[in-house]
Amino acid sequence: MIIEILIGSGVSAIAGFFLAKKLDNAKYDVLIAQAQAKAKVIEHEAEMILKNAKHEIAEKELLLKKEYDEELLKLQREFERKEILLEQKEKELNELIQDQLAKDRTLAREFKNLEKEKMSLVKQKELYENKMREAESLIERGAGLTKDEAKNIILAQAKQDVRSEVAHIIRKAVKEAEKNAKKEAYWVIAQATTRYAGEFAGERLINVVHIPDDDIKGRIIGRDGKNIKSLESTLGVDIIVDDTPNAITVSHFNIYRRQVAVEVINRLVEDGRIHPARIEEVHNKVLEEFEEKVLEIGENVILDLGLGNCAIHPELIKLIGKLKYRASYGQNALGHSLEVAHLAGVMAAEMGADELLAKRAGILHDIGKALTNDYEGSHVSLGYEICKRYNEPFEVLNAIKAHHGEEEAKSIEAAVVCTADTLSAARPGARREVLESFLKRVQGIEEIASSHENVRLAYAINAGREVRVIVEAELVNDDEAVLISQEIAKEISEKISFPGEIKVMVIREVRAISYAS
């Protein structure tokens, strides 16, 4: 019984083993089938990816080929265009060469002709000298005298004739000197006045107003520029507010108006209230003070010249004071008029004329310059009319017109005013010589810089204290630019007389410009 049970259990175990094995084989077959199916899917996807990649590569190849063809066509067209330009340039160059060769041949012919003419002239000169020697021999034989003997006779006769002529000239000169002794003496006195060296300062066209704080600049400008527009319209000047720290610039050719503007701005800055109504109020007050100031200046000038008892009209005195705020060619008009008055007084006294009247004519001769900014007409006509209106003497009126050649000087006083005016204007340090020498210096600096090789342009700036030299960038490198600046500086030092120093700046620049479209 037990044995049967054991046998039955063994058989069951063996059957279970084989059954499990069959199940494992079935699972293995299923997994194999699944793997094969996945492999086919992957293979199909790979084939699709490869097909898409080939398609994309083909498209890119077509696009690149199209771009290549377009670029090639563009380059071919550019090449053809440049080839045509090159042919044109070559043709022009050949024409220039032919023209130059023709000119060279012409010059060579002309040179040969000149050489022939030169040889011909040499031969003619030799022939002339031979003829002269033959003529001298004939004269010597005919006169019975040698060349030296004939020369001595002629010289003796000429000496006698010249002696008589010289004596005649000397007698005439002595008589002329006696007759014009007083006139020559006056001329010497006038020349002596050129040694007078009065004070002189050149006038400028701008004033710089100091601003304690840059924040005040914004208040001067105002919202939307309201304050600065009001300042410029009220004061009649140009006001420049730039990046210069603690400063603004007032610009105008009228010195009187510019000085009024400077005083108004200073008071507004000091007060701190800056708006259109305040600007107009301060401007009116400053104008009143300046009117009193110019009258005071004129009265002081009259007293300094000793003309306090000459009954000059107050309006003329005020205009004399206003001359302080007028310039001509950089020379202050009042300073010039004072110089003329002093020189005219000295010369009139030496000549025995009326010294005070000469001074009066001298200080008033340019009075019209105080009116030229407000009225039309020349300063001569304006000055003549205003002095005539206030009953100035004939000599004064004559001096006003005569100092510019509008009529002849009809009195000694008018004549000395004309002389003094010329001396004051032309003396060293006054105006003409300074301006001319400055212009010549600047022109000389620019000419020296421009004369160097490969220099395209040269500009003297900063009142002649700096010269900027622009060179050809393709022909000059950085080292050569330094050398050029040194050579120009050395040549300027040797050939130009100037105060201080002059900065030589050589500029080479290469610009590359392209356009995107």
Side-chain angles (χ1 to χ4, degrees):
M1 186 72 178
I2 294 170
I3 295 170
E4 290 176 356
I5 293 170
L6 290 171
I7 293 169
S9 61
V11 171
S12 298
I14 293 170
F17 171 79
F18 281 108
L19 180 61
K21 188 174 181 182
K22 286 181 179 181
L23 290 172
D24 289 339
N25 290 334
K27 289 179 180 180
Y28 176 77
D29 293 337
V30 170
L31 291 174
I32 290 296
Q34 290 177 350
Q36 289 176 349
K38 288 182 180 179
K40 288 181 179 180
V41 170
I42 292 171
E43 184 179 358
H44 178 69
E45 289 178 352
E47 288 177 355
M48 291 299 295
I49 291 170
L50 180 61
K51 185 177 180 181
N52 291 335
K54 288 181 178 179
H55 182 67
E56 289 179 359
I57 290 170
E59 287 181 350
K60 288 184 179 179
E61 285 180 352
L62 289 173
L63 182 62
L64 289 173
K65 187 174 185 306
K66 182 180 179 181
E67 291 178 353
Y68 170 78
D69 292 339
E70 290 178 352
E71 188 66 22
L72 180 62
L73 181 62
K74 182 179 178 181
L75 290 174
Q76 286 177 346
R77 289 175 180 173
E78 183 67 18
F79 175 77
E80 291 172 357
R81 187 181 66 83
K82 290 188 176 181
E83 188 177 18
I84 292 171
L85 288 175
L86 184 62
E87 290 176 355
Q88 291 177 350
K89 294 289 184 182
E90 185 177 3
K91 183 179 179 182
E92 292 175 358
L93 183 60
N94 290 331
E95 290 177 354
L96 289 174
I97 292 172
Q98 294 299 325
D99 291 343
Q100 189 61 42
L101 290 174
K103 290 179 181 179
D104 290 342
R105 288 192 292 270
T106 302
L107 288 174
R109 287 195 297 271
E110 291 179 353
F111 181 75
K112 289 181 180 179
N113 293 334
L114 288 173
E115 288 291 332
K116 291 179 180 179
E117 291 179 0
K118 184 178 178 182
M119 294 299 296
S120 176
L121 288 173
V122 170
K123 291 180 180 179
Q124 289 180 6
K125 183 179 178 182
E126 292 176 353
L127 180 62
Y128 171 76
E129 290 175 352
N130 293 332
K131 293 294 183 181
M132 287 297 296
R133 284 193 291 270
E134 292 177 3
E136 288 175 0
S137 300
L138 289 173
I139 291 171
E140 288 177 359
R141 286 196 298 272
L145 296 172
T146 63
K147 180 179 178 181
D148 292 336
E149 290 173 345
K151 186 187 296 183
N152 291 333
I153 292 172
I154 293 171
L155 286 174
Q157 184 63 39
K159 185 176 179 180
Q160 184 64 33
D161 294 340
V162 170
R163 184 180 178 87
S164 300
E165 186 67 24
V166 169
H168 177 71
I169 292 172
I170 290 173
R171 285 195 301 271
K172 184 177 179 181
V174 169
K175 289 181 179 179
E176 294 248 355
E178 291 174 352
K179 180 180 178 182
N180 298 323
K182 187 174 288 187
K183 181 179 178 181
E184 294 294 324
Y186 295 162
W187 183 84
V188 172
I189 293 171
Q191 292 301 307
T193 59
T194 59
R195 297 188 180 92
Y196 176 86
E199 295 181 355
F200 172 78
E203 295 291 347
R204 300 174 299 170
L205 294 179
I206 63 170
N207 282 79
V208 179
V209 182
H210 177 71
I211 303 298
D213 187 358
D214 279 346
D215 292 337
I216 298 179
K217 286 185 178 181
R219 296 166 63 186
I220 291 173
I221 296 172
R223 183 177 297 175
D224 298 328
K226 185 176 180 180
N227 288 343
I228 195 169
K229 289 178 182 177
S230 178
L231 278 168
E232 290 184 337
S233 63
T234 303
L235 304 177
V237 298
D238 294 326
I239 299 175
I240 303 168
V241 181
D242 53 20
D243 295 333
T244 306
N246 299 328
I248 63 173
T249 302
V250 179
S251 173
H252 200 271
F253 69 93
N254 189 323
I255 301 174
Y256 182 82
R257 191 180 297 176
R258 201 168 69 240
Q259 291 295 337
V260 170
V262 170
E263 184 63 25
V264 170
I265 293 172
N266 282 330
R267 293 192 185 186
L268 289 171
V269 170
E270 184 179 356
D271 181 65
R273 293 176 294 168
I274 305 175
H275 52 82
R278 180 63 177 163
I279 291 168
E280 188 171 356
E281 178 186 349
V282 174
H283 178 242
N284 292 333
K285 186 176 181 180
V286 170
L287 278 179
E288 292 176 3
E289 293 178 4
F290 264 68
E291 289 296 317
E292 296 173 2
K293 185 177 180 180
V294 295
L295 180 60
E296 182 182 352
I297 292 170
E299 290 173 347
N300 291 335
V301 168
I302 294 300
L303 291 174
D304 291 340
L305 292 174
L307 301 175
N309 297 324
C310 291
I312 299 177
H313 196 279
E315 283 299 320
L316 292 178
I317 295 175
K318 186 185 291 187
L319 290 176
I320 290 171
K322 208 168 182 179
L323 286 175
K324 182 177 180 180
Y325 303 103
R326 179 69 164 80
S328 178
Y329 300 103
Q331 187 180 29
N332 184 270
L334 181 57
H336 167 65
S337 297
L338 277 169
E339 246 181 25
V340 172
H342 284 298
L343 291 172
V346 171
M347 287 189 284
E350 292 292 337
M351 296 180 184
D354 190 335
E355 180 182 359
L356 292 179
L357 185 58
K359 285 184 176 181
R360 184 171 184 165
I363 197 64
L364 292 173
H365 82 287
D366 268 347
I367 196 68
K369 287 183 178 178
L371 300 168
T372 52
N373 290 329
D374 301 318
Y375 300 93
E376 293 183 357
S378 68
H379 77 276
V380 174
S381 60
L382 291 173
Y384 180 87
E385 292 298 329
I386 196 75
C387 288
K388 186 178 180 181
R389 182 188 306 170
Y390 295 119
N391 300 318
E392 281 299 306
F394 166 79
E395 291 81 2
V396 174
L397 299 176
N398 180 224
I400 291 173
K401 285 202 168 184
H403 86 279
H404 269 276
E406 292 194 9
E407 63 182 35
E408 291 293 328
K410 298 174 183 177
S411 64
I412 294 177
E413 290 79 9
V416 296
V417 167
C418 296
T419 304
D421 176 67
T422 303
L423 294 173
S424 174
R427 69 174 177 79
R431 52 186 183 187
R432 292 195 181 103
E433 184 175 314
V434 172
L435 290 173
E436 290 178 2
S437 61
F438 169 77
L439 293 174
K440 287 180 181 178
R441 182 169 73 246
V442 170
Q443 185 179 6
I445 292 170
E446 291 180 347
E447 287 176 354
I448 288 173
S450 300
S451 65
H452 283 252
E453 189 176 2
N454 297 327
V455 171
R456 190 170 62 190
L457 295 171
Y459 299 105
I461 62 174
N462 197 13
R465 291 189 292 272
E466 181 177 345
V467 57
R468 292 188 179 177
V469 183
I470 302 174
V471 298
E472 298 288 351
E474 296 83 3
L475 303 176
V476 178
N477 57 32
D478 292 340
D479 295 333
E480 291 172 342
V482 174
L483 183 61
I484 289 173
S485 68
Q486 294 174 348
E487 291 175 349
I488 293 174
K490 182 179 179 182
E491 190 171 352
I492 290 174
S493 299
E494 293 173 350
K495 296 183 179 180
I496 304 293
S497 176
F498 56 89
E501 62 182 12
I502 296 176
K503 179 181 178 181
V504 179
M505 181 184 294
V506 174
I507 301 171
R508 61 180 301 270
E509 180 182 23
V510 177
R511 295 188 182 185
I513 301 174
S514 300
Y515 296 94
S517 59

